[in-house]
Amino acid sequence: MNTSRRTFVIHSITGAGLAATAAFSTQAQAQAAVLETDPQAVALGYKVDTTKVDKVKFPKHVAAQNCANCALYVGKAADANGACPLFAGKTVAAKGWCSAWVKKA
Ligand code: SF4
């Protein structure tokens, strides 16, 4: 293999690897779920299961409130997860809840 052909092959392999890595990274970011331990989640009392919300800390919370029926939820009712502007770049659980919950009109 001559030098220019070898260089082309090396660049092709490296480029393909970088493209695959970038695609995987973008996909992972798009699907990353908010963790209850994330600082923003802790600050808002976010739980992935609305029935697990601390009733002492949030006495106005009722189990019928969840992300899927929150005005800020960006997702279809049938989806298990959706976006929320309070957690940019991550998804919240449809059955989740946080203290910023506002009834969907
Ligand atoms: Fe869920 Fe609404 Fe809180 Fe976002 S603001 S995490 S959709 S309850």
Side-chain angles (χ1 to χ4, degrees):
M1 191 181 301
N2 65 33
T3 304
S4 63
R5 181 174 162 81
R6 188 178 322 136
T7 303
F8 171 77
V9 170
I10 290 169
H11 285 193
S12 298
I13 292 169
T14 306
L18 287 175
T21 303
F24 176 78
S25 176
T26 301
Q27 188 176 26
Q29 284 177 347
Q31 296 175 345
V34 174
L35 300 175
E36 292 179 357
T37 52
D38 286 355
Q40 175 81 342
V42 172
L44 292 172
Y46 172 77
K47 294 289 180 190
V48 295
D49 181 348
T50 190
T51 65
K52 302 285 193 284
V53 171
D54 186 336
K55 298 196 184 317
V56 175
K57 264 180 149 176
F58 305 104
K60 292 183 179 176
H61 167 264
V62 294
Q65 298 171 348
N66 58 45
C67 292
N69 61 28
C70 172
L72 299 180
Y73 186 71
V74 183
K76 294 175 193 152
D79 293 345
N81 300 290
C84 171
L86 299 186
F87 299 98
K90 295 190 176 180
T91 60
V92 294
K95 293 178 179 174
W97 182 89
C98 88
S99 59
W101 183 87
V102 180
K103 185 177 181 180
K104 191 175 273 187

